Amino acid sequence: MSYPPPRLVRVTSGEIEKLSPMIVEAVRNVKANPRNEVAVERLRMIGREWASKVHVLSGAVDLMVSPWSAKASQLTLAATSGDVEAFQTQVMHQL
């Protein structure tokens, strides 16, 4: 399995962080002037860009944690099933 480079996560999260206050300001502008087409279009544009970056970041994080989250889910199921033998088998497979 190929993992995204950590730089992708850092850069993308930084871009989201920069866009977040821009969205807040754009929302305030639209709220103050809901008929201002320029303000509405700016909010849409920033919102699309923000959503795109969040999608990239979400995908990158999913790729990095999925191997561990799957194993954790298997352990959780075994632990909550009440089947001690199944739980011990899962623990041994994780080591």
Side-chain angles (χ1 to χ4, degrees):
M1 172 175 272
S2 170
Y3 298 110
R7 184 174 187 280
L8 174 65
V9 173
R10 284 193 307 274
V11 169
T12 306
S13 62
E15 291 170 346
I16 292 168
E17 191 172 349
K18 289 176 186 173
L19 286 170
S20 294
M22 294 170 67
I23 289 176
V24 171
E25 184 62 29
V27 168
R28 287 180 181 152
N29 289 338
V30 170
K31 187 175 180 185
N33 295 305
R35 295 184 182 174
N36 183 333
E37 291 179 24
V38 173
V40 171
E41 183 54 35
R42 178 168 166 72
L43 175 58
R44 286 186 183 137
M45 181 186 70
I46 294 169
R48 283 191 299 266
E49 187 175 352
W50 183 87
S52 172
K53 301 292 182 184
V54 168
H55 180 73
V56 169
L57 180 62
S58 175
V61 170
D62 283 349
L63 283 174
M64 290 189 310
V65 301
S66 64
W68 295 282
S69 63
K71 291 178 183 180
S73 295
Q74 291 170 349
L75 279 172
T76 302
L77 286 172
T80 58
S81 72
D83 185 347
V84 175
E85 188 175 318
F87 178 68
Q88 288 174 340
T89 302
Q90 283 297 324
V91 169
M92 294 307 292
H93 286 171
Q94 303 306 319
L95 298 177

